[in-house]
Amino acid sequence: MSTTIETMIPEKYKNVFAHAPTFTGDVSWLRTLRTKAYKRFQELGFPTRKHEDWRYINLEPILETAFVRPEDIVPHVDQEILQEYILSADNPRLVLVNGRYFEEGSSLGTLPDRVLFEPLHKALTTHGTRVELAISSSIEQEMNPFAALNSLYFQEGIFLSIPEGVRIETPIELFLITTETNQGPAVYYPRVFLSLGAGAKADVVLTCLSLGNERSFHNAVIDLSVGEKAHLSTTVLQRNGKEELQLVTTRIRQAKESALSMTMLTHGGMITRNEVQTSLRGEGATCFLNGLSLIANDSHVFHHPTTHHEMPHTVSRQLYKNIVNGRARSEFNSMAFIHKGAVKSDSAQLNRNMVLSKTSRAISRPQLKVYTDDVVAAHGSTTGQVSNEELFYLRSRGLSKEVATSMLVYGFAEEIVQTISSPTIQKHVEDFVRRDLSEVVANAS
Amino acid sequence: MLVIKNLHANIDGTEILKGVSLTINAGEVHAIMGPNGSGKSTLAKVLTGDESYDVTKGEVIFDGKNLLELEPEERALEGFFMAFQYPIEIPGVNNASFLRMAVNAKRKHAGQDELDPLEFDEILQAKIRLLEMNPDFAERNVNHGFSGGEKKRNEILQMAILEPKLALLDETDSGLDIDALRIVASGVNKLKHEKNAILLITHYQRLLNHIVPDYVHIMYEGKIVRSGDKTLAYELEEKGYDLLQKCA
């Protein structure tokens, strides 16, 4: 199996495949899946700037770096660092460090009995069929080559399955952390599976953290499945070092009358690309996708939310705000598809950007495809600067230019923070946003 | 306290202020009246530090300091305050936390300890009562969705909280109904004492029935053309523009 894949590697991608693992340890269904994933990857190839969805991203740092998969690293993060990011030590928590399960920092035990919450390597053996179902159903239609690569390479990840009717009120905390390994630029392929049965409820916080300034590449895939009348809130906090490359591809399937909200907060990093694709497969499903980027220096952040309204009476909202300073760049490239027969669907996409320097840039491309009548579909975009009038007003009351700017920028950002319904998570995120924001505002160059 | 000497200022190359001179001492209330376009609001903005205006000539000394050399926030920290003619709406910024930051910036500048939210709230609620305002003012966003009258009252609330040495009220009476005017004026009167001063800019004599000035100045075509006591306001009200033409 491993030799088959290696001999198929095209010469120009050899860097990316240099770390090709041997899949000898895999169970047979997983080997079959990897073969399918590789086939799919070959059909797709790496994207070029001719692909609309990849037009503005510079993939060179990813394609030209000779990444390694660090070996013999004992996963570890200092307790103080973890303390800074966890909401409460009492919450269920699963931590991956450098692609491996960090048992010492995790705490899986406090969930109801029937809930499955474990590192993926374990779930692959204990609940393989469910993992197989979640991946193989979509691999042949996968349009993102990096997601296909993740299916080819993933070894570890997070598996959370909440059965029918179980409502969990305490937030569940997930961490994907990279630290410096001193083994050269590292690549990780974490995979997160999250499923809620009918009527289940959960609040999940995923923190993606790259510590230090070593280059690393996180090619992550998140599969979410939300059952009938289930309710899932997710908050994704990305705080990355300046050399971090992070592609996060999220695939969401929603059943009848389910509700999902996802709020992503992005700060730092060299390249971050968040692709979120939701399929509203059941009548009356509702989905809210929100994003906030706070970036300066040379950070590039790309948001690609797509919502498929496949059934009648489905509702979607996309609200993304980008605050760019220095030479940072943001892209909002969204799509709402209203499929044939999805009558009475209601969709709105809104992107608002605040550009704080002459050298930063915000690209905005909300798009809409409607294949049925009798729907409501709106999309809009604004890009502006801090208002001089507002700034003058605040300064005339004794606030310094910097404080007044931070205040106005926070006022702009706050709407996204407020999309988080849990007060404890909202407060947690607000603290980070305020801190990141003053850093971004101070970085005006 | 404030000495303006031969002040000239332009906006986009057009001269608006053409040699304004005015002296205000502690404990005094001054009023500047004049028709639209006479330069009253420009004077207010230049004194506050609006960068859209270029000062081409003259000087302004405030409490011994060269006011024109200071940034807008430094002027505020030194005790200068302007109540805006058109207060700016700032969605997303909470009134109470904005005011607390402003007060603390000033306290820090004066070498005093900063107030914590609880200490500040007590002061804020007392001032809100003084100005007969709804207590929910504190928790709303700065001027956002406020009626014209509420915005003007919010300006006076800020003045009450910041306790400036010199408060400049730029057409604070415009857009106020008679009850709101009475409340705003009585608020200003309560804040007035021997050590501070007030400069009112207004079109109408109406406000001056409530806040009685020691001096009235008439501005016309970028200059103060006549000064007198409060009777000058009555005279202006009676004779209107004819009086101005005589002055010019």
Side-chain angles (χ1 to χ4, degrees), chain A residues 295-298 323-330 354-362 383-386 388 401 440-441 443-445:
Chain A
I295 48 172
N297 305 316
D298 293 289
I323 295 158
V324 291
N325 202 355
R327 291 163 303 278
R329 182 187 278 204
S330 70
M354 191 175 256
V355 177
L356 299 178
S357 68
K358 282 182 182 150
T359 45
S360 55
R361 196 174 161 198
T383 296
Q385 295 152 334
V386 173
N388 277 334
K401 200 170 179 177
V440 165
V441 168
N443 256 312
S445 61

Side-chain angles (χ1 to χ4, degrees), chain A residues 184-345:
Chain A
V187 60
Y188 304 103
Y189 297 95
R191 187 91 179 202
V192 179
F193 291 94
L194 234 147
S195 83
L196 269 72
K201 178 183 180 290
D203 241 320
V204 175
V205 184
L206 170 67
T207 306
C208 303
L209 208 56
S210 80
L211 305 165
N213 288 320
E214 212 172 67
R215 180 168 295 184
S216 64
F217 172 30
H218 245 111
N219 181 3
V221 173
I222 303 171
D223 298 282
L224 305 179
S225 160
V226 192
E228 198 173 311
K229 294 189 178 157
H231 197 298
L232 175 63
S233 300
T234 49
T235 304
V236 180
L237 187 63
Q238 293 172 304
R239 296 184 94 243
N240 292 326
K242 67 178 167 59
E243 288 288 321
E244 171 74 1
L245 309 162
Q246 197 161 84
L247 306 185
V248 181
T249 309
T250 306
R251 301 284 179 248
I252 307 168
R253 286 170 296 154
Q254 285 188 246
K256 194 176 166 185
E257 290 170 41
S258 64
L260 170 117
S261 76
M262 185 175 214
T263 300
M264 301 188 94
L265 305 118
T266 310
H267 173 64
M270 178 188 274
I271 293 171
T272 309
R273 185 180 187 276
N274 296 322
E275 180 179 315
V276 183
Q277 202 168 305
T278 346
S279 298
L280 304 174
R281 296 182 176 182
E283 207 165 311
T286 304
C287 123
F288 290 82
L289 304 178
N290 308 296
L292 175 67
S293 324
L294 295 163
I295 48 172
N297 305 316
D298 293 289
S299 289
H300 288 193
V301 172
F302 305 86
H303 288 292
H304 293 253
T306 299
T307 310
H308 289 276
H309 290 260
E310 297 173 17
M311 294 296 278
H313 298 282
T314 44
V315 177
S316 77
R317 295 285 178 271
Q318 297 174 356
L319 176 64
Y320 283 74
K321 293 190 177 184
N322 299 300
I323 295 158
V324 291
N325 202 355
R327 291 163 303 278
R329 182 187 278 204
S330 70
E331 184 192 11
F332 172 77
N333 185 337
S334 74
M335 175 67 83
F337 269 104
I338 302 184
H339 292 248
K340 209 165 174 204
V343 291
K344 309 272 184 200
S345 285

Side-chain angles (χ1 to χ4, degrees), chain A residues 357-423:
Chain A
S357 68
K358 282 182 182 150
T359 45
S360 55
R361 196 174 161 198
I363 300 157
S364 184
R365 302 202 298 165
Q367 298 160 78
L368 188 60
K369 284 187 180 164
V370 181
Y371 296 102
T372 193
D373 295 331
D374 195 13
V375 299
V376 178
H379 63 319
S381 167
T382 61
T383 296
Q385 295 152 334
V386 173
S387 145
N388 277 334
E389 270 193 337
E390 293 177 10
L391 202 57
F392 177 63
Y393 186 72
L394 296 180
R395 291 176 74 194
S396 78
R397 299 307 184 237
L399 301 178
S400 71
K401 200 170 179 177
E402 208 168 86
V403 169
T405 306
S406 288
M407 203 177 231
L408 292 172
V409 177
Y410 185 77
F412 174 78
E414 191 181 37
E415 189 181 2
I416 303 293
V417 177
Q418 286 172 344
T419 63
I420 299 167
S421 55
S422 148

Side-chain angles (χ1 to χ4, degrees), chain B residues 173 181 185 200-202 204-212:
Chain B
D173 52 334
L181 179 69
L200 304 164
I201 287 179
T202 181
Y204 307 107
Q205 189 264 331
R206 184 177 77 147
L207 176 70
L208 308 182
N209 290 335
H210 298 272
I211 308 171
V212 182

Side-chain angles (χ1 to χ4, degrees), chain B residues 76-94:
Chain B
L77 297 176
E78 291 299 330
F80 182 87
F81 178 89
M82 173 172 83
F84 280 55
Q85 183 181 1
Y86 303 108
I88 310 294
E89 293 195 20
I90 306 183
V93 175
N94 170 282

